[in-house]
Amino acid sequence: MTSVPTPIPSRTQFVLEGIKHRILTGQLTPGQALVETELAAQFGVSKTPVREALKTLAGTGLVVMNQYKGVTVRMVDADMAREVYDVRLLLEPEALRRAVRRGASLDAARDALTRADGAADTAERSLANREFHRALYVPCGNPLLGRMLDEVRDQAALVSTVAWAANPSWEREASEHREILRLALDGDADGAAGALHAHIASFVQRAFPQGQEEDGQE
């Protein structure tokens, strides 16, 4: 008998999305302590939904729970970035290749690019860029593959947030996004997948050059 996941209470979901948004837009920085009482006051809730939200975020890899240090935003280093982006390199280009080959609609990706180009700030652009990538792999025809990529999506966004804070490279990535989408819309599955692979690999190599030579050679 298949078990049905327990829905997350609305207050917990509200706090969860709020904390995640702050982390992925750089308002909460890697290593920063997340104090339950402070967050509860900020969101106007009790500590219970905050505690549950933090547990969920720990499960997705965005925060770290330590018996002695409490809860902190996950630190980003070259090893962490390499692990996350290695998974993306293995799965995301193939998902896009399949989406193109099956003639899936990429309207959502085009819309996300438009939002990114017209973004009023880096937070809005970051969120639009995340939606662009997701719109490329979700219609691959394999829901499990899509869910696997969803699982690393937030961690990849955390890496991007840290990298952009140190070295903004929005314009270069926007140009690469447009080329990936052009190839995909032209029906060039292998070309689009190759461009996406190069885009992902070059980003992490630029942001975390130490120990990234192998990824750059793929």
Side-chain angles (χ1 to χ4, degrees):
M1 182 176 179
T2 303
S3 60
V4 178
T6 303
I8 299 177
S10 58
R11 282 181 297 178
T12 300
Q13 188 66 40
F14 167 70
V15 174
L16 172 66
E17 293 302 325
I19 297 174
K20 180 191 292 189
H21 184 273
R22 293 182 185 186
I23 293 173
L24 298 182
T25 56
Q27 297 174 57
L28 293 172
T29 57
Q32 184 171 341
L34 301 175
V35 182
E36 288 183 8
T37 52
E38 293 178 359
L39 291 170
Q42 292 170 15
F43 287 103
V45 298
S46 68
K47 290 197 296 183
T48 298
V50 173
R51 186 177 303 118
E52 293 304 313
L54 291 175
K55 288 179 181 178
T56 300
L57 290 170
T60 65
L62 282 183
V63 307
V64 176
M65 289 183 158
N66 184 285
Q67 181 179 355
Y68 304 103
K69 296 181 180 180
V71 184
T72 58
V73 179
R74 183 175 182 177
M75 294 293 293
V76 174
D77 57 24
D79 289 339
M80 180 269 198
R82 183 171 188 170
E83 290 176 3
V84 172
Y85 274 66
D86 186 44
V87 173
R88 292 188 66 193
L89 285 168
L90 289 170
L91 301 180
E92 198 167 326
E94 177 60 24
L96 174 58
R97 181 183 285 110
R98 294 184 180 197
V100 174
R101 285 179 175 171
R102 67 194 299 262
S105 171
L106 295 174
D107 288 346
R110 184 190 289 110
D111 292 343
L113 267 189
T114 300
R115 291 199 304 275
D117 288 340
D121 53 37
T122 56
E124 185 180 346
R125 181 176 289 185
S126 176
L127 293 173
N129 281 345
R130 290 178 67 219
E131 289 304 317
F132 171 77
H133 278 275
R134 189 170 192 273
L136 296 180
Y137 67 72
V138 163
C140 67
N142 184 330
L144 177 58
L145 178 55
R147 288 196 298 272
M148 291 173 69
L149 282 163
D150 274 345
E151 287 183 6
V152 300
R153 181 170 174 245
D154 289 342
Q155 294 180 57
L158 180 58
V159 172
S160 299
T161 298
V162 172
W164 284 324
N167 180 28
S169 53
W170 300 106
E171 294 306 321
R172 172 172 177 165
E173 282 133 39
S175 177
E176 292 172 354
H177 284 173
R178 285 189 285 270
E179 177 62 10
I180 292 165
L181 184 59
R182 183 191 68 79
L183 291 166
L185 292 174
D186 285 347
D188 185 352
D190 291 335
L196 179 58
H197 188 285
H199 168 70
I200 295 170
S202 64
F203 178 83
V204 74
Q205 186 177 18
R206 291 195 308 274
F208 300 91
Q210 296 299 321
Q212 297 300 316
E213 290 81 0
E214 292 180 4
D215 284 347
Q217 295 297 320
E218 291 183 350

